[in-house]
Amino acid sequence: MFKWASLRKTEFDQDLSSPNGRIVCHFRLKNNQITYNVSRDGHPIVKESKLGFKIYGETPLEDDLKIIRVRQQKHNETIEMQWGEDRFINNNYRETAFYFSEANNKQRIFTIRFRIFDNAVAFRYEIPPQPSFRRISIEDEMTEFNLDLNSTAWKIPALQPDRYEYNYEKCSVYDLSYSVHTPLTIRTPNGYYVSIHEAALYDYGSMNLKLNSRHALKSDITPLSDGTKAHVDLPFQTPWRLVMLSDSAIELTTNRTMFALNDPPTSDFLWVKTLKFIGIWWAMYVGEWTWATGEKHGATTKHAKEYIDAAVRLGISGLLIEGWNEGWEGDWLENGRNNSFSSSTSDFDLKAVADYAKSRGVELVGHHETVGFVDNYEKQLEEAYNVYAAAGVHYIKTGYANSMMYINGRKEYHHSQVGVRHYQKTVQLAARKNICLDIHEPIKGTGIERTWPNLLSREGARGQEYEGGSLSPTHACILPYTRLLSGGMDYTSGIFDLQNNVKPVYTTLARQLAYYVVIYSGMQMAADRPIFYESKYPKLFEFIREVPTSFEKTLPLAGEIGEYYIVARKDYDSDNWYIGGVTDVEPRRIHLDFSFLDQGEYLAKIYADSEDAHYKNNPFGMEVLEQRINRTSSLVLRMAPGGGFAIQLQRL
Ligand code: NOJ
Ligand code: CA
């Protein structure tokens, strides 16, 4: 069902509205300049903003522009996700495509396609094969998002050595004079919440944002080492530029438009299963074991078998093993350029470990730390995946721990077009081998998990590996409103040994459980050593064992950016609900109302901070309570400074 109109206009404007009419996007062509603006309930959110791009070696696309055709259609469907935070996603929008051509002799043609949802505006550029060329180099994309400069933003810097692994800073939009990552979440002075992001990022540099000379935020596409933004074959379409809108901060956290803008899978991914796993991992962070061989080597056959047995006792399905392959000795960051992904160290027998894991019903999570040396990795890629596939491994954690990538003999940004291509290659190769991925130092999420459900998780923000002084309690109270809008994150939750000497973890114990509900991941780690789960806190571990890795629905209950977040989620496979909450350094007493529950009785297991708990001087202070709850019940809980709580509601 679509309408189209043939035109030949050099001046044109049109209002595009959302299905419920609350969002209006005004589109205009005037004086050879294409612009749009966005309002909600009649209040301006995005002021007049320019659109366009520069093609390398070509004259700008701003002479003699005319609109030759406008095509409109409505779309309304419910998408079913195989796993994730919400099983059903509403894909309801009004679409308008504007077809442009030049009146001059070049006659270049392109399209701008808009989709207006009830909670978002999205648009992209589409460039078909041209009369005179089939391949272009993009010099710049000129997309603006012109917001009130007095708006508040939560930013992390882009194009920096630690990729996305920075602490968020609160600032005004006026301060965004250097490039920042998306999702960029913003509160406008008139009280609306906006997050600017992108969807379906393929074969193009990732979009960062930066104020231009007009003081408008402008797309700052991650450049290639040759200074261009991308080299593409035509036809080509950019990722969707996405502006999510909401009335409250918590409403933003369940905006799933990014997934709706991605395509459904083209083949069967029913073999993909979300996973919970322990790992030969945190012992390295606290200095008990090492990645490198030697007396303290973590990844030995013996340790692996012991951890497999522990996983069975704990009721956890998977085990990650890091440091099993050659290349970790000495300066591993430097040696990474020659890492082998198929030869194991002499004290580790992959086949024996894999056979043992299989006999005990445990899934191994393999590990490829590329240290960003993509040329070295890609040479071995097929073989490296075959080694795991042959051993029956269905999960791989990859890593790119370097400030830049080394691709085609050049130093490139992780988030440039060639980086994006590399990550995509691994996702597609893994899919062919029935392998799921958890990518560390990844490209940010743009919803491609909808098309490639085997991409179960990524890191892409500061995670718990930064504990020991570099993470404040505020961080996890910002993530749900920023980074987590781009999909799940492997935060490596569940550290119980909070007061170790090497990497003290500045949270309360109850908060470690809260993370499993607050920070969603399709591959969820129980990151501490098994002994802390088995002999020290078996009662608490019950929560980690039982919390799902896939949810039917997600319902944020309360929160403000950088202060606190409370969310309820219903299990994908049962009638049980889970609630998690985290707070910053402020203690908070919160009132929970259970009217969202279905009829019937639930047994609530409540894991809460004690009255005297505190993330610094009493992190272990906590209480475990059980009580019956139904939809008329209410509960008051205290979250300690740097604390939180977790609740399991079991349907009786
Ligand atoms: C950084 C990753 O985030 C971490 O999980 C991993 O253990 C190290 N790199 C080593 O690969
Ligand atoms: Ca990392």
Side-chain angles (χ1 to χ4, degrees), residues 163 165 281 285 291 320 322 328 332 367-369 397-401 440-441 459 465 490 492:
R163 306 151 307 263
E165 297 174 5
W281 189 72
Y285 276 85
W291 278 274
L320 163 73
E322 291 199 11
W328 291 92
W332 67 272
H367 186 231
H368 287 162
E369 175 52 76
K397 170 178 169 181
T398 58
Y400 298 84
H440 278 232
E441 297 81 39
E459 189 189 35
E465 64 181 352
D490 181 11
T492 66

Side-chain angles (χ1 to χ4, degrees), residues 171-272:
C171 63
S172 73
V173 167
Y174 185 74
D175 293 328
L176 299 177
S177 52
Y178 60 88
S179 208
V180 297
H181 283 296
T182 77
L184 177 68
T185 297
I186 289 166
R187 185 175 57 218
T188 68
N190 51 6
Y192 289 104
Y193 289 80
V194 178
S195 194
I196 305 173
H197 189 41
E198 59 185 315
L201 168 58
Y202 292 102
D203 201 20
Y204 197 63
S206 114
M207 181 178 76
N208 314 305
L209 297 167
K210 182 180 168 180
L211 286 181
N212 62 13
S213 55
R214 295 192 336 123
H215 291 298
L217 284 174
K218 178 191 152 297
S219 57
D220 184 29
I221 306 300
T222 304
L224 290 163
S225 56
D226 67 8
T228 63
K229 309 291 186 178
H231 302 284
V232 297
D233 290 321
L234 305 181
F236 173 74
Q237 60 202 29
T238 64
W240 289 98
R241 277 60 191 97
L242 171 62
V243 181
M244 296 177 259
L245 297 160
S246 71
D247 298 332
S248 70
I250 58 168
E251 187 193 329
L252 201 55
T253 66
T254 48
N255 193 312
R256 310 279 180 231
T257 315
M258 177 186 76
F259 291 107
L261 289 164
N262 276 271
D263 292 332
T266 51
S267 58
D268 165 20
F269 281 87
L270 289 175
W271 52 272
V272 169

